[in-house]
Amino acid sequence: MDICKIHENASKCSLNTMECFMVLSTQAQKISIATLCGLFGTLCIFENFLVLYLIFSSPGTRRKPSYLFISSLALADILASIIFVCSFVNFHVFNETDFSKETFLLQLGGVNTSFSASLSSLLLTALDRYISISRPSEYKLLMTRKRTWIALGVLWVTCATIASLPLLGWNCCTLNSTCSELFPFVDENYLSSWVCFIMVLLGCIIYAYAHVLWRAHQHVAYMEKHQVGKQNTRMRMDVMLAKTLVMVLTVLMLCWSPVLVLMIYSIFARLSNHLRKVFAFCSTLCLLNSMVNPIIYALRSKELYSSLRKVFSQFRRQQKANEESPEAESTHKSSMIET
């Protein structure tokens, strides 16, 4: 008998009902989730730490607002991968329920904060590029380092505050309201509000990048008619920018749409066990997005790519020197013996 039916008339805030949300029923499903989380999480942490190192190891990049926004994105994705993988695998794979309601809501708040900060950093990056292409002459006046740090501070405080609301009292246990079918202790109205917040972020990102794409298209059309001097180079840059932005929007929508659609569906209708399993697997797509972000946003940058090549060349030289040093030392020893 389904354990959720056993507790159907029981209190929805009982820790015993946590088992209702453990939807992975077979060992194969648990291994699949653990493998996906382990793979995506490990690559995400490595890539984003590499991005942070490349940005802050160069004085030229760490002072630019666009790279500060990318740093915020990398930091958010690192936190998302660590908190999400640990809590998600611990709950769905190892079926750990030995924690309080407050501990669970704290973990959920950490996941929401990091993913919200990741999307918000994408929005700031989109706005930065929107301003750079729509008002290029005023860009340096508008995007100062002080305003950049203020924007990042507001971003993180806002995301942390919104994510902490269930822990602070906006949950179905405290309010004795309807609980979500996807998350324990979470009030349905809070879930609706959070989904609206994420959709507003996505809508603003899409609008900003759509405007940048349109301006890039206009620029390419103009360059095709007036090819003078270095304009061919600029046209190639606009085409590359357009390809990058199309990739950004495609990955963003593919990774976030399934989760948001299921969240919205859960607000208006009851979810079957099959759909809740689908939601568990779709949640790993958000982690996949965090893994892909550094490749799209950072490593396609010429400055960071050149820095990355320098790091690899230095590493190769060091490895070559380490390989050659024992041979040199043995040659030196043999010459000493002959002497």
Side-chain angles (χ1 to χ4, degrees):
M1 185 180 294
D2 189 353
I3 192 166
C4 293
K5 291 181 179 179
I6 295 176
H7 292 286
E8 192 172 20
N9 298 322
S11 170
K12 292 183 179 180
C13 293
S14 171
L15 286 173
N16 293 329
T17 59
M18 294 284 284
E19 298 177 13
C20 297
F21 296 90
M22 297 174 181
V23 294
L24 303 182
S25 54
T26 65
Q27 195 68 20
Q29 292 172 355
K30 294 181 179 181
I31 292 173
S32 300
I33 284 286
T35 303
L36 290 174
C37 288
L39 178 63
F40 293 163
T42 303
L43 290 175
C44 181
I45 293 171
F46 171 76
E47 292 171 358
N48 284 288
F49 265 121
L50 180 61
V51 169
L52 289 176
Y53 172 76
L54 293 176
I55 291 175
F56 286 99
S57 62
S58 172
T61 54
R62 64 171 176 253
R63 293 174 182 172
K64 293 182 179 179
S66 57
Y67 288 108
L68 290 177
F69 294 144
I70 292 176
S71 300
S72 174
L73 173 64
L75 177 61
D77 287 337
I78 289 173
L79 293 177
S81 60
I82 294 173
I83 302 173
F84 176 83
V85 169
C86 292
S87 58
F88 197 77
V89 171
N90 194 40
F91 184 80
H92 283 289
V93 177
F94 297 108
N95 300 137
E96 181 64 46
T97 58
D98 188 20
F99 49 78
S100 63
K101 176 191 73 175
E102 289 75 18
T103 303
F104 177 83
L105 292 177
L106 181 62
Q107 292 177 352
L108 184 63
V111 173
N112 287 347
T113 298
S114 51
F115 278 128
S116 300
S118 178
L119 286 178
S120 300
S121 298
L122 290 180
L123 175 58
L124 289 183
T125 305
L127 293 176
D128 175 73
R129 294 180 179 178
Y130 175 87
I131 294 172
S132 67
I133 199 169
S134 61
R135 304 172 72 175
S137 59
E138 304 174 30
Y139 175 77
K140 290 187 177 180
L141 294 175
L142 294 173
M143 298 303 298
T144 61
R145 290 193 70 198
K146 182 179 179 181
R147 289 180 178 177
T148 300
W149 283 110
I150 290 174
L152 290 175
V154 172
L155 178 158
W156 282 92
V157 170
T158 302
C159 292
T161 302
I162 293 174
S164 300
L165 291 177
L167 184 62
L168 297 175
W170 192 355
N171 57 72
C172 57
C173 303
T174 304
L175 301 177
N176 196 24
S177 55
T178 305
C179 295
S180 167
E181 292 185 49
L182 294 174
F183 305 100
F185 314 125
V186 173
D187 179 68
E188 264 196 359
N189 292 327
Y190 171 79
L191 181 62
S192 304
S193 302
W194 190 81
V195 169
C196 290
F197 172 63
I198 296 299
M199 291 185 69
V200 168
L201 289 179
L202 291 174
C204 292
I205 293 170
I206 292 170
Y207 173 79
Y209 278 147
H211 180 82
V212 174
L213 280 171
W214 174 246
R215 292 297 295 266
H217 171 73
Q218 288 181 322
H219 205 94
V220 170
Y222 177 82
M223 292 299 181
E224 288 177 348
K225 293 181 180 179
H226 307 86
Q227 294 184 7
V228 181
K230 298 180 179 179
Q231 291 180 343
N232 283 331
T233 303
R234 180 60 188 271
M235 186 172 70
R236 286 195 298 270
M237 289 174 63
D238 286 336
V239 171
M240 183 178 178
L241 173 64
K243 290 180 179 179
T244 301
L245 297 184
V246 168
M247 192 187 305
V248 166
L249 295 179
T250 302
V251 170
L252 194 65
M253 296 310 298
L254 286 176
C255 290
W256 279 91
S257 293
V259 170
L260 292 175
V261 167
L262 287 172
M263 284 184 181
I264 294 171
Y265 182 78
S266 72
I267 295 170
F268 298 102
R270 291 188 64 84
L271 293 177
S272 63
N273 285 337
H274 175 70
L275 284 179
R276 294 201 294 167
K277 288 179 184 178
V278 171
F279 178 79
F281 278 92
C282 287
S283 298
T284 60
L285 291 176
C286 299
L287 189 61
L288 174 64
N289 185 53
S290 295
M291 186 195 77
V292 174
N293 279 338
I295 300 174
I296 297 177
Y297 283 88
L299 299 182
R300 285 178 67 89
S301 164
K302 286 187 176 181
E303 291 177 277
L304 293 185
Y305 183 70
S306 62
S307 298
L308 181 62
R309 290 185 64 181
K310 288 179 182 177
V311 169
F312 276 119
S313 62
Q314 290 175 358
F315 178 75
R316 286 177 182 175
R317 283 198 299 267
Q318 186 176 0
Q319 287 291 105
K320 191 175 181 181
N322 291 336
E323 289 175 0
E324 292 177 352
S325 58
E327 297 177 1
E329 186 177 350
S330 61
T331 304
H332 176 71
K333 286 182 178 179
S334 61
S335 63
M336 288 291 291
I337 292 171
E338 289 175 2
T339 305

